Amino acid sequence: DAGVIQSPRHEVTEMGQEVTLRCKPISGHNSLFWYRQTMMRGLELLIYFNNNVPIDDSGMPEDRFSAKMPNASFSTLKIQPSEPRDSAVYFCASSRDRERNSPLHFGNGTRLTVT
Amino acid sequence: AQRVTQPEKLLSVFKGAPVELKCNYSYSGSPELFWYVQYSRQRLQLLLRHISRESIKGFTADLNKGETSFHLKKPFAQEEDSAMYYCALSSGNTGKLIFGQGTTLQVKP
């Protein structure tokens, strides 16, 4: 199993541009999470899905952020328009929620730089 | 409100010294707590969970409900322990984790 796969690994874009981050969870996992990591705030949960349905998006900072999970093997996080303060590492993680205390499996992250 | 607090952003020790990474939590239910670690250029991964009561790479963590703490300890730090450590609290059965701000452990030779 290749684990959680995220793309791209690095993204550099100009302010105002649309950014789309992609995630492929581990097969068989039915919970998917998007986190943002910054030096100031550490790891913040943005949104999570269970069985492809968004359960809690209270961590999504603004309407500029949106996330979708059209099927069990794919999710996207979109920022439109992007701003310099969105610069961070964005992690996707998945877990098998039928197992209580099942660990989260993280992807390698996407390092986003908005200039 | 559910919250995890790691008061130290950076902890620097010498090789062989004891290490304690502090974690306090706020949760109204019965907590399920974890420590995750991120080594340089690697993905975030689970280090240990309180329910397992195990020692991983020499690290242990005891849940103290009275003090609402879950500090991570190791008696003798190694250089390869240098990493970012996150304490996390599980909320519900979906596996949603709330993380602390993280502590960077730097073990000097």
Side-chain angles (χ1 to χ4, degrees), chain A residues 35 37 40 56 100-101 104, chain B residues 32 36 86 93 96-97:
Chain A
Y35 284 90
Q37 183 187 44
M40 293 298 295
D56 182 354
R100 195 161 171 79
N101 290 316
L104 292 193
Chain B
E32 296 168 12
Y36 279 75
Y86 286 96
N93 287 330
K96 172 185 171 182
L97 284 184

Side-chain angles (χ1 to χ4, degrees), chain A residues 8-13 18-21 110-114:
Chain A
R9 289 295 302 272
H10 303 274
E11 177 81 35
V12 180
T13 190
E18 177 179 297
V19 174
T20 299
L21 311 180
T110 295
R111 183 174 294 277
L112 173 65
T113 303
V114 183

Side-chain angles (χ1 to χ4, degrees), chain A residues 2-4 31 33 35 37-43 45 48 50 55-56 58 91 95 97-98 100-104 106-108, chain B residues 9 30 32-34 36 38 41-46 49-51 84 86 90-102:
Chain A
V4 176
S31 288
F33 306 81
Y35 284 90
Q37 183 187 44
T38 60
M39 288 293 291
M40 293 298 295
R41 298 187 172 191
L43 270 172
L45 176 64
Y48 78 96
N50 187 247
I55 302 300
D56 182 354
S58 59
F91 287 102
S95 72
D97 70 3
R98 289 196 206 118
R100 195 161 171 79
N101 290 316
S102 62
L104 292 193
F106 282 82
N108 280 317
Chain B
K9 272 196 173 293
S30 182
E32 296 168 12
L33 288 148
F34 306 79
Y36 279 75
Q38 187 177 25
R41 296 197 177 93
Q42 292 186 30
R43 61 183 70 193
L44 197 64
Q45 57 189 288
L46 177 68
R49 62 188 90 176
H50 93 269
I51 200 167
M84 173 77 90
Y86 286 96
S90 176
S91 171
N93 287 330
T94 59
K96 172 185 171 182
L97 284 184
I98 297 167
F99 286 86
Q101 289 188 295

Side-chain angles (χ1 to χ4, degrees), chain B residues 7-72:
Chain B
E8 302 143 326
K9 272 196 173 293
L10 173 67
L11 183 62
S12 186
V13 301
F14 285 101
K15 177 183 171 182
V19 169
E20 182 179 66
L21 299 165
K22 290 185 168 47
C23 172
N24 288 90
Y25 66 89
S26 169
Y27 185 58
S28 57
S30 182
E32 296 168 12
L33 288 148
F34 306 79
W35 277 98
Y36 279 75
V37 61
Q38 187 177 25
Y39 300 103
S40 179
R41 296 197 177 93
Q42 292 186 30
R43 61 183 70 193
L44 197 64
Q45 57 189 288
L46 177 68
L47 179 62
L48 55 79
R49 62 188 90 176
H50 93 269
I51 200 167
S52 300
R53 294 184 167 274
E54 56 195 346
S55 173
I56 305 293
K57 299 184 180 183
F59 284 97
T60 59
D62 292 320
L63 178 62
N64 185 324
K65 292 186 179 181
E67 296 182 358
T68 58
S69 69
F70 188 56
H71 304 325
L72 183 68

